[in-house]
Amino acid sequence: MRKLLNSVSLLAVLTVAPIGVASANDKLDQLSKSEENWVMPGKNYHSDNYSTLTQINTSNVKDLKVAWTFSTGLLNGHEGAPLVVDGKMYIHTSFPNNTFALDLNDPTRILWQDKPKQNAAARAVACCDLVNRGLAYWPGDSKTPPLILKTLLDGHIEALNAKTGELVWKMENSDYKVGSTLTIAPYVVKDKVLVGSSGAELGVRGYVTAYDVHTGEQAWRAYATGPDEDVMLAKDFNSKNPHYGQKGLGTSTWEGDAWKIGGGTNWGWYAYDPGTNLFYYGSGNPAPWNETMRPGDNKWTMTIFGRDIDTGEAKFGYQKTPHDEWDFAGVNFMLLTEQKDKEGKERKLLTHPDRNGIVYTLDRTNGDLISADKIDDTVNVFKTVDLKSGLPVRDPEYGTRMDHLGKDICPSAMGYHNQGHDSYDPTKQLFFLGVNHICMDWEPFMLP
């Protein structure tokens, strides 16, 4: 099963060794290894989006024809894949976030549908388009039936009975009245459901929250900005890489109380390693957009976090773009692999192609920066990334400061890589990335 990415071009990056397979010892992980199912974004906890199926191949792909179609009846963005579980397909939509369950043995038959009621005023504060990025599946246990979990644009999370579509619980995660909306696909690990937030464009302070899958009760919430206890930094946070920064920076790298409206929302993708018990994700762009209004590094926005799933504590955080001035929201795809380094040592790695045009590879056990290479040589906002310090070397010609006209800034705010998922083929040892090539001019104007 090959996934066609909605991209300007396709980039294959050679890697050095095949991927390993994690063992999570739970039903969801077992389902994710079955080629008959697609139970989470990215297919499995490694998020490799790789299928071993061979029925469709290079010799017969030209003969594919449409077997059936299903219209959701909505024209706004659909930015996530359907889920497939035991012969049923679960389809989500953009606002008003309807869900349909189809029988794949008879796809003309809708088994159930959920059309939630939510406040239409959320549409006025949503950026960008009224998109939704997908659903999550919980396989059920003795206490709770199998669930389909979904987010609503107005900030609520719903848990639906996967067999009947009936509402099991509903929880408010975000307040659209202050610009905080939900477009993210929930992510299930153990008995928790991870949900991020949206709205950095309107000065929302970003966070990730874990909820109890049985009840919807909040287990913990970790912010991207603010005091260490709010960001939930572990006692040994960045102990292996103290040069990334450690304590107190969620406030000291902001002017005054600017961290309270500092952005750093995460509306993208997660990955999870049962071996480290860490989940991985990226926080988004700082707020406001005008970089002159928020001097400092603006931590911990634009950061790759490794957090303990049980406690929420951050074991490491690597900030890719300190003081982001281009809106390079760092929430993109996270891929986990096991590969050999140049010395032949097997390492647990995390690969993240960022909107800033850099593909980062980290040791996911401690955050070590292994490599940071340009997706394309035309990336000019950074000359390079210093692997010792982890800091990008800026080219001031392509900055966005006041009284400066930046011409042909590459990448544009859209990034050389946006929110779309990528894949890894362990047999070819190749990553397949959906890549943009879009540049921009930027000239700030002072308004009353």
Side-chain angles (χ1 to χ4, degrees), residues 283-359:
S283 59
N285 55 285
W289 275 0
N290 186 343
E291 57 94 21
T292 61
M293 297 174 66
R294 45 173 173 81
D297 281 352
N298 309 138
K299 294 186 184 297
W300 292 94
T301 65
M302 308 298 288
T303 297
I304 296 174
F305 278 111
R307 290 189 183 274
D308 186 284
I309 186 62
D310 297 322
T311 66
E313 288 189 334
K315 298 298 184 181
F316 69 81
Y318 167 64
Q319 189 180 42
K320 299 158 291 178
T321 309
H323 187 75
D324 170 49
E325 53 187 294
W326 303 273
D327 187 31
F328 291 150
V331 303
N332 288 351
F333 169 76
M334 301 282 169
L335 171 69
L336 308 186
T337 63
E338 284 78 39
Q339 301 181 42
K340 292 181 180 178
D341 61 19
K342 294 179 180 178
E343 285 74 40
K345 178 184 176 183
E346 192 84 4
R347 302 188 72 168
K348 284 174 167 277
L349 301 181
L350 177 155
T351 298
H352 168 78
D354 198 78
R355 220 155 91 175
N356 67 11
I358 305 295
V359 179

Side-chain angles (χ1 to χ4, degrees), residues 226-228 246-256 259 295-300:
D228 293 348
Q246 292 182 283
K247 300 303 178 69
L249 300 177
T251 54
S252 66
T253 58
W254 295 83
E255 187 174 65
W259 56 267
D297 281 352
N298 309 138
K299 294 186 184 297
W300 292 94

Side-chain angles (χ1 to χ4, degrees), residues 179-199:
S180 185
T181 53
L182 278 183
T183 60
I184 191 171
Y187 196 74
V188 173
V189 180
K190 297 184 177 179
D191 61 351
K192 291 181 173 61
V193 183
L194 297 174
V195 178
S197 59
S198 301

Side-chain angles (χ1 to χ4, degrees), residues 41-341:
K43 190 178 188 297
N44 49 42
Y45 281 135
H46 272 52
S47 287
D48 61 20
N49 284 288
Y50 178 73
S51 169
T52 61
L53 296 175
T54 58
Q55 185 178 2
I56 301 170
N57 53 54
T58 55
S59 64
N60 63 20
V61 66
K62 67 181 185 300
D63 300 321
L64 286 180
K65 295 181 175 63
V66 175
W68 56 271
T69 63
F70 178 82
S71 173
T72 67
L74 295 165
L75 299 179
N76 293 99
H78 294 55
E79 291 190 352
L83 299 183
V84 176
V85 187
D86 296 334
K88 298 181 179 64
M89 177 177 282
Y90 300 94
I91 298 172
H92 69 286
T93 78
S94 54
F95 182 90
N97 307 122
N98 301 327
T99 303
F100 301 90
L102 306 182
D103 181 354
L104 291 183
N105 293 316
D106 181 9
T108 63
R109 182 185 174 204
I110 299 175
L111 298 174
W112 57 259
Q113 56 186 309
D114 175 62
K115 295 188 174 182
K117 293 181 180 180
Q118 58 175 310
N119 200 312
R123 295 179 298 180
V125 295
C127 172
C128 307
D129 196 5
L130 307 179
V131 304
N132 188 272
R133 296 185 175 87
L135 306 166
Y137 178 73
W138 160 255
D141 58 16
S142 59
K143 295 189 293 184
T144 306
L147 299 176
I148 293 293
L149 298 123
K150 61 190 283 188
T151 57
L152 307 185
L153 189 68
D154 74 353
H156 286 86
I157 309 161
E158 283 191 348
L160 308 173
N161 186 307
K163 295 180 179 179
T164 65
E166 293 176 310
L167 183 66
V168 176
W169 56 260
K170 185 174 183 177
M171 180 64 63
E172 184 178 30
N173 179 80
S174 308
D175 183 2
Y176 74 89
K177 296 184 184 67
V178 297
S180 185
T181 53
L182 278 183
T183 60
I184 191 171
Y187 196 74
V188 173
V189 180
K190 297 184 177 179
D191 61 351
K192 291 181 173 61
V193 183
L194 297 174
V195 178
S197 59
S198 301
E201 296 75 22
L202 299 179
V204 169
R205 183 186 177 205
Y207 50 78
V208 58
T209 311
Y211 295 94
D212 187 307
V213 73
H214 303 96
T215 63
E217 181 181 359
Q218 182 175 312
W220 52 257
R221 171 170 287 176
Y223 288 86
T225 67
D228 293 348
E229 58 268 25
D230 289 3
V231 187
M232 296 186 70
L233 303 184
K235 290 182 180 180
D236 59 349
F237 176 71
N238 276 345
S239 61
K240 299 295 184 181
N241 294 282
H243 55 284
Y244 290 172
Q246 292 182 283
K247 300 303 178 69
L249 300 177
T251 54
S252 66
T253 58
W254 295 83
E255 187 174 65
D257 289 339
W259 56 267
K260 293 181 179 180
I261 55 168
T265 55
N266 64 292
W267 40 265
W269 310 105
Y270 301 102
Y272 169 66
D273 180 357
T276 62
N277 203 39
L278 301 180
F279 73 94
Y280 308 90
Y281 72 101
S283 59
N285 55 285
W289 275 0
N290 186 343
E291 57 94 21
T292 61
M293 297 174 66
R294 45 173 173 81
D297 281 352
N298 309 138
K299 294 186 184 297
W300 292 94
T301 65
M302 308 298 288
T303 297
I304 296 174
F305 278 111
R307 290 189 183 274
D308 186 284
I309 186 62
D310 297 322
T311 66
E313 288 189 334
K315 298 298 184 181
F316 69 81
Y318 167 64
Q319 189 180 42
K320 299 158 291 178
T321 309
H323 187 75
D324 170 49
E325 53 187 294
W326 303 273
D327 187 31
F328 291 150
V331 303
N332 288 351
F333 169 76
M334 301 282 169
L335 171 69
L336 308 186
T337 63
E338 284 78 39
Q339 301 181 42
K340 292 181 180 178
D341 61 19

